[in-house]
Amino acid sequence: RHAWTRPPLTVFFVSPAPRVSLSATDCYIVHEIYSGENAQDQFEYELEQALEAQYKYIVIEPTRIGDETARWITVGNCLHKTAVLAGAACLCSPLALPPEYSHYISLPAGVLSLACCALYGISWQFDPCCKYQVEYDAYRLSRLPLHTLTSSTPVVLVRKDDLHRKRLHNTIALAALVYCVKKIYELCAV
């Protein structure tokens, strides 16, 4: 019988990520400190003030408001992606499908793209929260002062420029609108 031997253990030493000090305008923490009956309103007010002040990072300790904010951002991201993908399907389906069937895909996809773009424009475009994304990157999170928190699962928002993504989904939705109007005109003229 042959005895199993463990292979030699290789150890790699990784130096910890250097702590970069953040200025006071880079990071704001909404602490979970309950002082009075209106603590939840105070958390919401602090978050609103931090969003308006345009901090680079916002750390939200209170679980309820953090989860609500993350969901709100996720819904906005979903509307954006749906507008882009549906618009792309509207514009590409006539190239990939036979002409007599392409409008069965392209018109509904174009309408969906327009609806998502319009809903995003009405509900999210002017909300200061649309400038933020939830941060999941461990390296970036390690640079933040999260060791001072009392919550083990804070939501971390990072401010990102959304100009290009708004231009993208508005351009694709506009092109889908032009295609849909043209296609409906052609179908009605026949």
Side-chain angles (χ1 to χ4, degrees), residues 60-122:
I60 307 170
E61 246 188 324
T63 305
R64 191 179 113 207
I65 193 168
D67 290 345
E68 288 173 2
T69 304
R71 274 194 301 273
W72 181 254
I73 291 171
T74 301
V75 170
N77 290 342
C78 181
L79 282 175
H80 161 73
K81 289 175 185 172
T82 304
V84 170
L85 293 175
C90 170
L91 299 172
C92 293
S93 63
L95 303 173
L97 298 173
E100 60 272 6
Y101 300 116
S102 68
H103 64 273
Y104 292 116
I105 300 294
S106 63
L107 289 177
V111 169
L112 178 62
S113 177
L114 290 168
C116 288
C117 187
L119 187 57
Y120 185 93
I122 292 167

Side-chain angles (χ1 to χ4, degrees), residues 40-58:
Q40 203 65 32
D41 293 336
Q42 180 63 31
F43 300 152
E44 290 174 11
Y45 177 75
E46 280 186 51
L47 176 60
E48 203 60 42
Q49 293 300 311
L51 292 169
E52 293 292 335
Q54 301 179 359
Y55 284 92
K56 174 118 177 95
Y57 295 97
I58 299 175

